[in-house]
Amino acid sequence: MRHLCWVALCLLALTGCGSGPGGGERACTLIGGRTGIGVVVDPGAPVLDTPALLTLCADGRCRDVPVPLEPATGTGASGCSGGVCSAQVAPTGGQVGFAEVDGLGEQPLEVTLTAGDREFRTTVTPAAVYPNGPDCGAAGVQGRVGLTAAGNLTNR
């Protein structure tokens, strides 16, 4: 019986080897990353008609991509009672959207955000995203622009 306990203890110790931080192999989930350009319209910025239009230009070629915008939300009232915590979703006054862009690369883009008769311009360089960390490889390419309360489009 004593021998069986030692064998079980050794097997239990070995099952932890090679998994976890510093243990060799790293488990990568199947989580993915979308490819495209995110748009954030800050509270107080000009509210845009939806869908807005992104014009992306690189190497002398341009393409238009619609970006549907939705009201942005954040954390509202929150609290804990009886060991249970909760938070409410509250509108921020801004807008958010994401334009799917097939074949987006990691080169600088001239970006024009158009909504109605308004145009805002900036430059953005999309980058690979690693939702599982760099050891698991890239899962998409993304860039992000933001429209400030002053009406400036910035690279975020």
Side-chain angles (χ1 to χ4, degrees):
M1 182 71 166
R2 186 178 214 187
H3 179 69
L4 186 58
C5 287
W6 277 108
V7 170
L9 183 60
C10 289
L11 287 174
L12 183 61
L14 286 174
T15 59
C17 294
S19 61
E25 290 185 34
R26 183 175 190 293
C28 297
T29 68
L30 295 178
I31 192 169
R34 297 165 67 191
T35 294
I37 304 291
V39 176
V40 177
V41 179
D42 291 343
V47 176
L48 304 179
D49 298 328
T50 187
L53 184 69
L54 285 178
T55 302
L56 309 173
C57 299
D59 299 327
R61 294 187 300 162
C62 297
R63 63 177 149 170
D64 292 333
V65 183
V67 57
L69 296 171
E70 299 178 6
T73 59
T75 304
S78 63
C80 297
S81 176
V84 176
C85 297
S86 66
Q88 294 179 350
V89 175
T92 66
Q95 294 172 288
V96 294
F98 191 83
E100 300 277 347
V101 183
D102 292 334
L104 186 63
E106 296 183 69
Q107 77 274 5
L109 297 171
E110 295 297 323
V111 177
T112 303
L113 175 63
T114 305
D117 61 351
R118 299 177 181 182
E119 283 190 352
F120 308 92
R121 299 179 196 282
T122 193
T123 301
V124 64
T125 302
V129 293
Y130 300 86
N132 283 290
D135 293 339
C136 292
V141 175
Q142 295 180 2
R144 188 167 137 175
V145 296
L147 184 59
T148 68
N152 299 313
L153 190 62
T154 62
N155 178 7
R156 293 200 180 170

